[in-house]
Amino acid sequence: VLVFVPIESRPPRRTEPLSPATAPPIVGRRPEWLKVGLSHGPHFKELKRLMREQQLNTICEEAACPNIGECWGEFRTASFLLLGDTCTRNCGFCDVTTGRPGAVDWGEPTRLAEAVGRLNLRHVVITSVTRDDLDDGGAAIFGATIRQLKRRDPALGVEVLIPDFQGNWAALGTV
């Protein structure tokens, strides 16, 4: 059965992203299946130490992923975050810091490749903050990172989750 709601009775469209100030109130308790226990399995501290040693960022940490304990601690997996920890966009759904990012760290691809080697990974996932302040949106560092990884291990699976590069097809070609 389809029910049509007249446009006049629909709630107004949001013009601002949700924030603690504008979000609807939480009613009742959250369901048990939604709660994730804090897990610091046997590999958690090892991965944390490696990320700090190599001065690397992960989307796991920057976006405050609730599954970080399971992924890092139990399965020794992480999704690497290129181009620092500060994004130039302010998406309402994301917990990554927004602001003016620092300079591009051209040593990052080498350090990331070294960390992947130390973790003995067969597949790596790489994403980045959005860098609208860069002409290529950060495409060059994606390319450099992929080359470093493949140079060290041609059989490594490399998955990249790229920003939109503001529709710049040349930047996409760089990746």
Side-chain angles (χ1 to χ4, degrees):
V1 173
L2 290 175
V3 176
F4 293 96
V5 177
I7 292 176
E8 303 81 43
S9 65
R10 292 183 189 164
R13 291 193 120 189
R14 271 189 289 116
T15 57
E16 304 265 336
L18 284 179
S19 71
T22 62
I26 297 171
V27 179
R29 295 178 54 86
R30 291 185 176 95
E32 287 302 315
W33 58 265
L34 187 58
K35 297 176 185 176
V36 178
L38 185 59
S39 169
H40 285 150
H43 306 293
F44 188 90
K45 287 182 180 175
E46 172 194 0
L47 257 70
K48 185 136 183 124
R49 185 172 30 259
L50 179 62
M51 298 306 163
R52 296 302 74 82
E53 278 176 16
Q54 297 297 340
Q55 299 171 355
L56 297 172
N57 297 296
T58 66
I59 192 64
C60 318
E61 291 177 290
E62 302 309 324
C65 179
N67 300 319
I68 190 171
E70 182 179 345
C71 294
W72 284 29
E74 302 299 326
F75 303 112
R76 233 172 144 223
T77 61
S79 294
F80 295 94
L81 185 68
L82 293 175
L83 295 164
D85 62 356
T86 305
C87 186
T88 57
R89 295 194 188 164
N90 186 17
C91 302
F93 59 84
C94 186
D95 203 29
V96 174
T97 301
T98 301
R100 290 184 178 205
V104 174
D105 176 359
W106 291 102
E108 188 174 36
T110 302
R111 292 192 314 275
L112 192 146
E114 184 178 318
V116 167
R118 285 173 56 184
L119 291 169
N120 199 28
L121 299 178
R122 305 303 324 136
H123 182 89
V124 63
V125 178
I126 303 165
T127 190
S128 74
V129 293
T130 298
R131 292 291 301 261
D132 292 331
D133 61 316
L134 302 175
D135 290 339
D136 71 349
I141 203 155
F142 269 97
T145 302
I146 294 165
R147 284 190 297 279
Q148 275 290 336
L149 291 165
K150 288 298 195 174
R151 187 174 298 129
R152 289 175 181 250
D153 182 358
L156 178 70
V158 179
E159 180 179 350
V160 291
L161 309 173
I162 59 172
D164 62 17
F165 298 132
Q166 296 187 34
N168 180 341
W169 286 95
L172 181 61
T174 300
V175 175

